[in-house]
Amino acid sequence: AVADVTLEDDRLLEIAADGTILWEWLASDHIGEFQFDAEERAGIKSAAGPETPRAYDWMHINSADYLGPNRWYDAGDQRFAPENVIISSRQSSVIAIIARDGSVVWQLGPDFSRTPEQRAIGQIIGQHHAHIIPKGLPGAGNILIFDNGGSSGYGAPSPIALNGQGLYARATSRILEIDPLTLKLVWSYRAANFFSTNISSAQRLANGNTLITEGAPGRVFEVTNAGDIVWEYMNAPSKFGRGSNSVYRAYRIPYTWLPQLSVPQEQAVR
């Protein structure tokens, strides 16, 4: 069992236009596949102790995306079948690929100290928007992740994780681009005062730059491979006060998505 109390579980559904459920997956059915060690399993149980006032969100899967066509599957690696789904569990610091039979066929985390490759990446904490960069874009096939920081993970109780939850903590964010076969950290972005403890995303653009949504403060900006900021937008606060300008996720869309408007004259950013 995951825990001895009521859980908020995570469920993936694929639904046809007529409402028919074509495929579904339940996280708690696969806890034995997620590489949690004994201390992490104990941390999950103790975090959901009898003092918990409501149902406990043990995985908190905040994104789920089809892998889509990719070079790994083209080369014969069945783990990367386009219809498989990549998920991000911010609560457990796990990124995983779920096959159509429900099995976990690829995983990063939860403890990034276990292998040399994961130690080179560094502990991922509270991440969002893990996805494979689509074909046709620079870095295609690599996994792009907004590594939020904040706190996440399970383990033995400690002074900062008295019930075994929130074992890892960091007050900075990172963008990570990872080769899913070698686990090599291909590219990363971090900067002073760059931090969003929740929500947020990153999108690789056709020009090789990356669009970053620093969600909590409502900031969207574009950086080059060298980390230079070439475009930036701050969402204005509304009358509802603090936090009302947060942006969950932003995307750069092509002009062809708005055919009713004339294509504007672009100007180089100096």
Side-chain angles (χ1 to χ4, degrees):
V2 177
D4 301 321
V5 298
T6 302
L7 295 174
E8 290 180 358
D9 210 353
D10 288 87
R11 185 183 183 202
L12 304 181
L13 295 173
E14 182 179 279
I15 302 175
D18 63 1
T20 303
I21 297 176
L22 304 175
W23 179 78
E24 61 181 313
W25 178 88
L26 192 64
S28 59
D29 289 341
H30 300 273
I31 186 171
E33 300 176 52
F34 279 114
Q35 303 174 26
F36 296 122
D37 63 19
E39 285 191 342
E40 288 159 344
R41 288 289 295 264
I44 292 170
K45 281 200 170 189
S46 63
E51 74 283 356
T52 304
R54 59 179 177 80
Y56 170 58
D57 185 6
W58 75 286
M59 281 285 277
H60 192 119
I61 294 176
N62 55 35
S63 68
D65 287 280
Y66 294 112
L67 298 186
N70 63 83
R71 59 190 175 113
W72 316 117
Y73 181 73
D74 293 345
D77 195 327
Q78 297 298 312
R79 297 175 300 170
F80 297 90
E83 67 273 15
N84 287 353
V85 178
I86 183 169
I87 63 169
S88 163
S89 166
R90 67 100 38 231
Q91 220 50 19
S92 67
S93 289
V94 164
I95 300 103
I97 293 176
I98 311 302
R100 301 301 283 188
D101 65 2
S103 60
V104 179
V105 294
W106 180 95
Q107 181 172 327
L108 261 180
D111 181 351
F112 283 73
S113 69
R114 289 178 183 169
T115 68
E117 293 81 8
Q118 292 188 89
R119 284 198 294 272
I121 294 170
Q123 183 66 47
I124 291 178
I125 302 171
Q127 76 288 338
H128 284 72
H129 197 208
H131 65 282
I132 281 189
I133 298 173
K135 274 189 169 183
L137 296 175
N142 293 333
I143 293 177
L144 199 60
I145 303 167
F146 192 108
D147 176 15
N148 291 70
S151 67
S152 69
Y154 298 102
S158 73
I160 65 169
L162 296 178
N163 63 354
Q165 180 185 18
L167 190 70
Y168 312 119
R170 189 185 67 242
T172 58
S173 296
R174 306 183 295 168
I175 307 300
L176 306 176
E177 179 185 346
I178 299 168
D179 182 316
L181 264 59
T182 65
L183 301 188
K184 177 183 177 182
L185 183 59
V186 177
W187 178 80
S188 66
Y189 173 82
R190 64 192 308 168
N193 301 317
F194 172 52
F195 180 44
S196 177
T197 189
N198 65 333
I199 55 180
S200 308
S201 64
Q203 177 194 13
R204 180 56 45 80
L205 303 177
N207 61 6
N209 293 350
T210 302
L211 184 72
I212 299 172
T213 307
E214 188 181 1
R219 179 183 180 221
V220 182
F221 61 105
E222 179 182 339
V223 299
T224 66
N225 192 59
D228 297 322
I229 297 174
V230 298
W231 180 85
E232 185 171 25
Y233 170 79
M234 285 295 298
N235 193 32
S238 75
K239 63 181 180 180
F240 298 106
R242 183 177 179 182
S244 63
N245 64 321
S246 296
V247 177
Y248 184 82
R249 187 180 298 174
Y251 289 98
R252 176 70 51 79
I253 60 173
Y255 295 130
T256 53
W257 280 33
L258 300 169
Q260 69 272 30
L261 300 180
S262 300
V263 175
Q265 180 67 42
E266 292 189 340
Q267 297 183 10
V269 177
R270 300 185 183 278

